[in-house]
Amino acid sequence: MQAGPFIPSNAFSSLIVGGLIKINDVQVPLTLSKTISKPGKPLLSTVEAFANPSGLPPVRPPSKLPPPGNLSLHVSLELERLGYGRVGSVYPLRIDDTDQYALPSLVMKVAARRRSDDLAREAWFYEEMEDIQGVAIARCYGFFTAEIEQNGEVLDWAESDADYHEEVDVGDEDIDVGDEDSESEDDGDSNDTWNRYAWRDSDNLVMEEFSWEVVVQRNDEREKLREERRDKRARILKAARADPASVRNCSDKTFLSVLVLERLGDVMPIGVPLEALKPDLHEIYSDMGRFGIEHIDIRWRNILAAPATDQSIVCPYHGHRHQWRVVDFDRSRKSNHLHSRIETSSCLWLRIILDGLEEGCVIEPW
């Protein structure tokens, strides 16, 4: 791979991927084209104290990128799945054009069947926050789509078909049934304490109290539901692998979409003091709030370490390089809320999650 500054994120108009699809049980390369993302519907608050003076969300800053390029990026999908959730699965990529372009390590988020609109929405948020890609969020190299033949077998669509039919049977609770990392145990002592959280609305300090016992109890209930759904998903998936046609609607459009992102590092540690991380994470969510972006899906596995060998960009708002990155914006929204309200509301949920991690408990508030 070439040294020097990374190639602009809009340099590629097409993507040629190996290892993503089989035709008649034979792996074939697939060409995907750069596609327009799908904007999320803005949230407009009618409460004057919550909204910024204009009453509208902040306008997207002018792009600093050069004109879009017309290059084609050749990559191969590694079979080591890094994670999956409601919208799709994330895989590492091997860059085949190693001598042509200066690029970071990349991953590809492959939309599950029927989730292309969600992935297109997520792509829009990355574009909206172009100024803090490589600063507070991952670098994004584009949203790409392709139509595939009816006999095309996408890498893990049998699994996503199983998830879809499970949602039909159980009800779509928007819970990531594949999340094996959530823990619901506690040490007993923390359940008897009450923690106070505060945020600022306009000029008034508003206090809310959260019972740690209630938070942990809710987490336990969600984990029990996840376990039930995992069991049901396993049964459906077994049937899907044995007979894919049994869970596939023949009228479905064979439409595939992917999002190409830089590869990030590990999640935050569990069971250790995290006080040193908090200022940096608060600044990152403050950065996003300047764009009117409310992440919504604030959780442990959506905050990852910045790449170890990264050409990190100095934050234009805080004057230093952040050590963490936020990902997963398919549930995010752009609002007309005051920057201070977005920032402090995000920090409220961050504190709940970080307090849980320090206690050895992964809190899933959503």
Side-chain angles (χ1 to χ4, degrees), residues 141-165:
Y141 285 86
F143 176 64
F144 300 86
T145 62
E147 287 193 34
I148 60 175
E149 298 179 29
Q150 289 288 341
N151 58 346
E153 180 184 345
V154 178
L155 187 64
D156 63 351
W157 269 9
E159 282 86 347
S160 63
D161 283 335
D163 289 339
Y164 173 78
H165 281 263

PDB file of all heavy atoms in Angstrom, residues 141-165:
ATOM      1  N   TYR A 141     -15.868   5.440   2.918  1.00  0.00           N
ATOM      2  CA  TYR A 141     -15.453   5.488   1.516  1.00  0.00           C
ATOM      3  C   TYR A 141     -16.599   5.218   0.552  1.00  0.00           C
ATOM      4  O   TYR A 141     -16.358   5.041  -0.640  1.00  0.00           O
ATOM      5  CB  TYR A 141     -14.294   4.509   1.286  1.00  0.00           C
ATOM      6  CG  TYR A 141     -13.006   5.052   1.867  1.00  0.00           C
ATOM      7  CD1 TYR A 141     -12.689   4.847   3.201  1.00  0.00           C
ATOM      8  CD2 TYR A 141     -12.144   5.829   1.109  1.00  0.00           C
ATOM      9  CE1 TYR A 141     -11.530   5.369   3.758  1.00  0.00           C
ATOM     10  CE2 TYR A 141     -10.988   6.364   1.647  1.00  0.00           C
ATOM     11  CZ  TYR A 141     -10.695   6.130   2.970  1.00  0.00           C
ATOM     12  OH  TYR A 141      -9.546   6.665   3.515  1.00  0.00           O
ATOM     13  N   GLY A 142     -17.821   5.229   1.072  1.00  0.00           N
ATOM     14  CA  GLY A 142     -18.935   5.202   0.141  1.00  0.00           C
ATOM     15  C   GLY A 142     -19.960   4.118   0.383  1.00  0.00           C
ATOM     16  O   GLY A 142     -19.701   3.091   1.021  1.00  0.00           O
ATOM     17  N   PHE A 143     -21.149   4.383  -0.147  1.00  0.00           N
ATOM     18  CA  PHE A 143     -22.285   3.472  -0.135  1.00  0.00           C
ATOM     19  C   PHE A 143     -22.445   2.935  -1.550  1.00  0.00           C
ATOM     20  O   PHE A 143     -22.593   3.705  -2.511  1.00  0.00           O
ATOM     21  CB  PHE A 143     -23.532   4.231   0.308  1.00  0.00           C
ATOM     22  CG  PHE A 143     -24.804   3.433   0.266  1.00  0.00           C
ATOM     23  CD1 PHE A 143     -24.978   2.326   1.077  1.00  0.00           C
ATOM     24  CD2 PHE A 143     -25.847   3.807  -0.577  1.00  0.00           C
ATOM     25  CE1 PHE A 143     -26.164   1.601   1.053  1.00  0.00           C
ATOM     26  CE2 PHE A 143     -27.026   3.093  -0.607  1.00  0.00           C
ATOM     27  CZ  PHE A 143     -27.185   1.985   0.210  1.00  0.00           C
ATOM     28  N   PHE A 144     -22.386   1.617  -1.721  1.00  0.00           N
ATOM     29  CA  PHE A 144     -22.380   0.981  -3.043  1.00  0.00           C
ATOM     30  C   PHE A 144     -23.498  -0.051  -3.124  1.00  0.00           C
ATOM     31  O   PHE A 144     -23.806  -0.728  -2.134  1.00  0.00           O
ATOM     32  CB  PHE A 144     -21.036   0.293  -3.296  1.00  0.00           C
ATOM     33  CG  PHE A 144     -19.842   1.215  -3.265  1.00  0.00           C
ATOM     34  CD1 PHE A 144     -19.219   1.524  -2.072  1.00  0.00           C
ATOM     35  CD2 PHE A 144     -19.337   1.769  -4.435  1.00  0.00           C
ATOM     36  CE1 PHE A 144     -18.123   2.372  -2.025  1.00  0.00           C
ATOM     37  CE2 PHE A 144     -18.242   2.616  -4.408  1.00  0.00           C
ATOM     38  CZ  PHE A 144     -17.627   2.919  -3.200  1.00  0.00           C
ATOM     39  N   THR A 145     -24.082  -0.173  -4.311  1.00  0.00           N
ATOM     40  CA  THR A 145     -25.194  -1.103  -4.494  1.00  0.00           C
ATOM     41  C   THR A 145     -25.047  -1.869  -5.805  1.00  0.00           C
ATOM     42  O   THR A 145     -24.329  -1.439  -6.719  1.00  0.00           O
ATOM     43  CB  THR A 145     -26.551  -0.368  -4.516  1.00  0.00           C
ATOM     44  OG1 THR A 145     -26.576   0.539  -5.633  1.00  0.00           O
ATOM     45  CG2 THR A 145     -26.770   0.403  -3.232  1.00  0.00           C
ATOM     46  N   ALA A 146     -25.750  -2.994  -5.875  1.00  0.00           N
ATOM     47  CA  ALA A 146     -25.795  -3.793  -7.108  1.00  0.00           C
ATOM     48  C   ALA A 146     -27.045  -4.648  -7.090  1.00  0.00           C
ATOM     49  O   ALA A 146     -27.534  -5.050  -6.026  1.00  0.00           O
ATOM     50  CB  ALA A 146     -24.560  -4.678  -7.227  1.00  0.00           C
ATOM     51  N   GLU A 147     -27.584  -4.893  -8.274  1.00  0.00           N
ATOM     52  CA  GLU A 147     -28.625  -5.911  -8.427  1.00  0.00           C
ATOM     53  C   GLU A 147     -27.938  -7.217  -8.758  1.00  0.00           C
ATOM     54  O   GLU A 147     -26.973  -7.244  -9.523  1.00  0.00           O
ATOM     55  CB  GLU A 147     -29.605  -5.522  -9.534  1.00  0.00           C
ATOM     56  CG  GLU A 147     -30.536  -4.390  -9.145  1.00  0.00           C
ATOM     57  CD  GLU A 147     -31.686  -4.228 -10.126  1.00  0.00           C
ATOM     58  OE1 GLU A 147     -32.146  -5.248 -10.667  1.00  0.00           O
ATOM     59  OE2 GLU A 147     -32.112  -3.083 -10.331  1.00  0.00           O
ATOM     60  N   ILE A 148     -28.415  -8.287  -8.163  1.00  0.00           N
ATOM     61  CA  ILE A 148     -27.795  -9.585  -8.394  1.00  0.00           C
ATOM     62  C   ILE A 148     -28.800 -10.540  -9.003  1.00  0.00           C
ATOM     63  O   ILE A 148     -30.008 -10.344  -8.910  1.00  0.00           O
ATOM     64  CB  ILE A 148     -27.224 -10.169  -7.087  1.00  0.00           C
ATOM     65  CG1 ILE A 148     -28.326 -10.352  -6.050  1.00  0.00           C
ATOM     66  CG2 ILE A 148     -26.128  -9.271  -6.529  1.00  0.00           C
ATOM     67  CD1 ILE A 148     -27.852 -11.036  -4.785  1.00  0.00           C
ATOM     68  N   GLU A 149     -28.274 -11.581  -9.616  1.00  0.00           N
ATOM     69  CA  GLU A 149     -29.141 -12.551 -10.267  1.00  0.00           C
ATOM     70  C   GLU A 149     -29.965 -13.308  -9.233  1.00  0.00           C
ATOM     71  O   GLU A 149     -29.569 -13.451  -8.073  1.00  0.00           O
ATOM     72  CB  GLU A 149     -28.293 -13.539 -11.077  1.00  0.00           C
ATOM     73  CG  GLU A 149     -27.496 -12.879 -12.198  1.00  0.00           C
ATOM     74  CD  GLU A 149     -26.663 -13.894 -12.955  1.00  0.00           C
ATOM     75  OE1 GLU A 149     -27.070 -15.076 -13.009  1.00  0.00           O
ATOM     76  OE2 GLU A 149     -25.606 -13.510 -13.477  1.00  0.00           O
ATOM     77  N   GLN A 150     -31.118 -13.800  -9.672  1.00  0.00           N
ATOM     78  CA  GLN A 150     -32.008 -14.501  -8.763  1.00  0.00           C
ATOM     79  C   GLN A 150     -31.339 -15.709  -8.121  1.00  0.00           C
ATOM     80  O   GLN A 150     -31.657 -16.080  -6.992  1.00  0.00           O
ATOM     81  CB  GLN A 150     -33.278 -14.953  -9.512  1.00  0.00           C
ATOM     82  CG  GLN A 150     -34.204 -13.810  -9.882  1.00  0.00           C
ATOM     83  CD  GLN A 150     -34.928 -13.238  -8.675  1.00  0.00           C
ATOM     84  OE1 GLN A 150     -35.024 -13.875  -7.646  1.00  0.00           O
ATOM     85  NE2 GLN A 150     -35.431 -12.014  -8.813  1.00  0.00           N
ATOM     86  N   ASN A 151     -30.399 -16.318  -8.836  1.00  0.00           N
ATOM     87  CA  ASN A 151     -29.725 -17.496  -8.280  1.00  0.00           C
ATOM     88  C   ASN A 151     -28.463 -17.106  -7.517  1.00  0.00           C
ATOM     89  O   ASN A 151     -27.661 -17.960  -7.162  1.00  0.00           O
ATOM     90  CB  ASN A 151     -29.380 -18.503  -9.380  1.00  0.00           C
ATOM     91  CG  ASN A 151     -28.488 -17.901 -10.449  1.00  0.00           C
ATOM     92  OD1 ASN A 151     -28.323 -16.683 -10.530  1.00  0.00           O
ATOM     93  ND2 ASN A 151     -27.896 -18.751 -11.282  1.00  0.00           N
ATOM     94  N   GLY A 152     -28.282 -15.821  -7.269  1.00  0.00           N
ATOM     95  CA  GLY A 152     -27.129 -15.375  -6.500  1.00  0.00           C
ATOM     96  C   GLY A 152     -27.312 -15.648  -5.012  1.00  0.00           C
ATOM     97  O   GLY A 152     -28.384 -15.407  -4.450  1.00  0.00           O
ATOM     98  N   GLU A 153     -26.265 -16.153  -4.384  1.00  0.00           N
ATOM     99  CA  GLU A 153     -26.291 -16.459  -2.952  1.00  0.00           C
ATOM    100  C   GLU A 153     -25.319 -15.526  -2.238  1.00  0.00           C
ATOM    101  O   GLU A 153     -24.104 -15.679  -2.341  1.00  0.00           O
ATOM    102  CB  GLU A 153     -25.903 -17.921  -2.723  1.00  0.00           C
ATOM    103  CG  GLU A 153     -25.915 -18.329  -1.264  1.00  0.00           C
ATOM    104  CD  GLU A 153     -25.417 -19.756  -1.075  1.00  0.00           C
ATOM    105  OE1 GLU A 153     -25.334 -20.496  -2.072  1.00  0.00           O
ATOM    106  OE2 GLU A 153     -25.097 -20.096   0.078  1.00  0.00           O
ATOM    107  N   VAL A 154     -25.846 -14.541  -1.542  1.00  0.00           N
ATOM    108  CA  VAL A 154     -25.020 -13.586  -0.819  1.00  0.00           C
ATOM    109  C   VAL A 154     -24.517 -14.225   0.468  1.00  0.00           C
ATOM    110  O   VAL A 154     -25.229 -15.011   1.105  1.00  0.00           O
ATOM    111  CB  VAL A 154     -25.800 -12.292  -0.525  1.00  0.00           C
ATOM    112  CG1 VAL A 154     -24.955 -11.310   0.285  1.00  0.00           C
ATOM    113  CG2 VAL A 154     -26.246 -11.651  -1.834  1.00  0.00           C
ATOM    114  N   LEU A 155     -23.309 -13.874   0.830  1.00  0.00           N
ATOM    115  CA  LEU A 155     -22.555 -14.509   1.904  1.00  0.00           C
ATOM    116  C   LEU A 155     -23.397 -14.991   3.078  1.00  0.00           C
ATOM    117  O   LEU A 155     -23.397 -16.158   3.409  1.00  0.00           O
ATOM    118  CB  LEU A 155     -21.476 -13.535   2.399  1.00  0.00           C
ATOM    119  CG  LEU A 155     -20.486 -14.091   3.409  1.00  0.00           C
ATOM    120  CD1 LEU A 155     -19.667 -15.203   2.794  1.00  0.00           C
ATOM    121  CD2 LEU A 155     -19.566 -12.996   3.913  1.00  0.00           C
ATOM    122  N   ASP A 156     -24.110 -14.085   3.760  1.00  0.00           N
ATOM    123  CA  ASP A 156     -24.822 -14.522   4.964  1.00  0.00           C
ATOM    124  C   ASP A 156     -26.295 -14.155   4.917  1.00  0.00           C
ATOM    125  O   ASP A 156     -26.898 -13.898   5.949  1.00  0.00           O
ATOM    126  CB  ASP A 156     -24.172 -13.935   6.214  1.00  0.00           C
ATOM    127  CG  ASP A 156     -24.241 -12.423   6.262  1.00  0.00           C
ATOM    128  OD1 ASP A 156     -24.643 -11.807   5.254  1.00  0.00           O
ATOM    129  OD2 ASP A 156     -23.899 -11.857   7.298  1.00  0.00           O
ATOM    130  N   TRP A 157     -26.892 -14.141   3.731  1.00  0.00           N
ATOM    131  CA  TRP A 157     -28.303 -13.809   3.668  1.00  0.00           C
ATOM    132  C   TRP A 157     -29.189 -14.901   4.243  1.00  0.00           C
ATOM    133  O   TRP A 157     -30.320 -14.645   4.627  1.00  0.00           O
ATOM    134  CB  TRP A 157     -28.700 -13.475   2.233  1.00  0.00           C
ATOM    135  CG  TRP A 157     -28.547 -12.005   1.952  1.00  0.00           C
ATOM    136  CD1 TRP A 157     -27.958 -11.084   2.762  1.00  0.00           C
ATOM    137  CD2 TRP A 157     -29.002 -11.304   0.803  1.00  0.00           C
ATOM    138  NE1 TRP A 157     -27.994  -9.846   2.179  1.00  0.00           N
ATOM    139  CE2 TRP A 157     -28.629  -9.947   0.972  1.00  0.00           C
ATOM    140  CE3 TRP A 157     -29.664 -11.676  -0.360  1.00  0.00           C
ATOM    141  CZ2 TRP A 157     -28.924  -8.968   0.020  1.00  0.00           C
ATOM    142  CZ3 TRP A 157     -29.951 -10.705  -1.305  1.00  0.00           C
ATOM    143  CH2 TRP A 157     -29.582  -9.359  -1.107  1.00  0.00           C
ATOM    144  N   ALA A 158     -28.704 -16.132   4.325  1.00  0.00           N
ATOM    145  CA  ALA A 158     -29.508 -17.166   4.995  1.00  0.00           C
ATOM    146  C   ALA A 158     -29.729 -16.771   6.443  1.00  0.00           C
ATOM    147  O   ALA A 158     -30.818 -16.912   6.991  1.00  0.00           O
ATOM    148  CB  ALA A 158     -28.810 -18.523   4.919  1.00  0.00           C
ATOM    149  N   GLU A 159     -28.663 -16.221   7.085  1.00  0.00           N
ATOM    150  CA  GLU A 159     -28.788 -15.766   8.462  1.00  0.00           C
ATOM    151  C   GLU A 159     -29.752 -14.590   8.559  1.00  0.00           C
ATOM    152  O   GLU A 159     -30.594 -14.524   9.454  1.00  0.00           O
ATOM    153  CB  GLU A 159     -27.421 -15.361   9.012  1.00  0.00           C
ATOM    154  CG  GLU A 159     -26.545 -16.545   9.420  1.00  0.00           C
ATOM    155  CD  GLU A 159     -25.749 -17.103   8.252  1.00  0.00           C
ATOM    156  OE1 GLU A 159     -26.054 -16.752   7.094  1.00  0.00           O
ATOM    157  OE2 GLU A 159     -24.833 -17.893   8.504  1.00  0.00           O
ATOM    158  N   SER A 160     -29.645 -13.625   7.638  1.00  0.00           N
ATOM    159  CA  SER A 160     -30.530 -12.461   7.713  1.00  0.00           C
ATOM    160  C   SER A 160     -31.965 -12.849   7.394  1.00  0.00           C
ATOM    161  O   SER A 160     -32.905 -12.272   7.938  1.00  0.00           O
ATOM    162  CB  SER A 160     -30.052 -11.352   6.758  1.00  0.00           C
ATOM    163  OG  SER A 160     -30.101 -11.754   5.411  1.00  0.00           O
ATOM    164  N   ASP A 161     -32.158 -13.834   6.515  1.00  0.00           N
ATOM    165  CA  ASP A 161     -33.505 -14.332   6.277  1.00  0.00           C
ATOM    166  C   ASP A 161     -34.077 -14.947   7.553  1.00  0.00           C
ATOM    167  O   ASP A 161     -35.246 -14.756   7.882  1.00  0.00           O
ATOM    168  CB  ASP A 161     -33.498 -15.399   5.166  1.00  0.00           C
ATOM    169  CG  ASP A 161     -33.385 -14.789   3.786  1.00  0.00           C
ATOM    170  OD1 ASP A 161     -33.775 -13.616   3.627  1.00  0.00           O
ATOM    171  OD2 ASP A 161     -32.899 -15.474   2.874  1.00  0.00           O
ATOM    172  N   ALA A 162     -33.234 -15.666   8.283  1.00  0.00           N
ATOM    173  CA  ALA A 162     -33.683 -16.245   9.541  1.00  0.00           C
ATOM    174  C   ALA A 162     -34.065 -15.151  10.522  1.00  0.00           C
ATOM    175  O   ALA A 162     -35.081 -15.244  11.215  1.00  0.00           O
ATOM    176  CB  ALA A 162     -32.582 -17.127  10.132  1.00  0.00           C
ATOM    177  N   ASP A 163     -33.243 -14.101  10.593  1.00  0.00           N
ATOM    178  CA  ASP A 163     -33.554 -12.980  11.482  1.00  0.00           C
ATOM    179  C   ASP A 163     -34.889 -12.345  11.098  1.00  0.00           C
ATOM    180  O   ASP A 163     -35.706 -12.011  11.945  1.00  0.00           O
ATOM    181  CB  ASP A 163     -32.457 -11.907  11.410  1.00  0.00           C
ATOM    182  CG  ASP A 163     -31.177 -12.376  12.058  1.00  0.00           C
ATOM    183  OD1 ASP A 163     -31.239 -13.313  12.876  1.00  0.00           O
ATOM    184  OD2 ASP A 163     -30.122 -11.808  11.753  1.00  0.00           O
ATOM    185  N   TYR A 164     -35.124 -12.167   9.773  1.00  0.00           N
ATOM    186  CA  TYR A 164     -36.353 -11.527   9.313  1.00  0.00           C
ATOM    187  C   TYR A 164     -37.572 -12.349   9.702  1.00  0.00           C
ATOM    188  O   TYR A 164     -38.542 -11.836  10.247  1.00  0.00           O
ATOM    189  CB  TYR A 164     -36.312 -11.339   7.799  1.00  0.00           C
ATOM    190  CG  TYR A 164     -37.612 -10.850   7.229  1.00  0.00           C
ATOM    191  CD1 TYR A 164     -37.967  -9.509   7.342  1.00  0.00           C
ATOM    192  CD2 TYR A 164     -38.485 -11.718   6.587  1.00  0.00           C
ATOM    193  CE1 TYR A 164     -39.169  -9.048   6.824  1.00  0.00           C
ATOM    194  CE2 TYR A 164     -39.685 -11.266   6.068  1.00  0.00           C
ATOM    195  CZ  TYR A 164     -40.022  -9.935   6.178  1.00  0.00           C
ATOM    196  OH  TYR A 164     -41.204  -9.488   5.677  1.00  0.00           O
ATOM    197  N   HIS A 165     -37.503 -13.645   9.464  1.00  0.00           N
ATOM    198  CA  HIS A 165     -38.650 -14.478   9.779  1.00  0.00           C
ATOM    199  C   HIS A 165     -38.845 -14.604  11.275  1.00  0.00           C
ATOM    200  O   HIS A 165     -39.959 -14.755  11.748  1.00  0.00           O
ATOM    201  CB  HIS A 165     -38.500 -15.850   9.117  1.00  0.00           C
ATOM    202  CG  HIS A 165     -38.858 -15.817   7.665  1.00  0.00           C
ATOM    203  ND1 HIS A 165     -40.093 -16.174   7.205  1.00  0.00           N
ATOM    204  CD2 HIS A 165     -38.149 -15.396   6.588  1.00  0.00           C
ATOM    205  CE1 HIS A 165     -40.130 -16.012   5.884  1.00  0.00           C
ATOM    206  NE2 HIS A 165     -38.968 -15.537   5.492  1.00  0.00           N
TER     207      HIS A 165
END
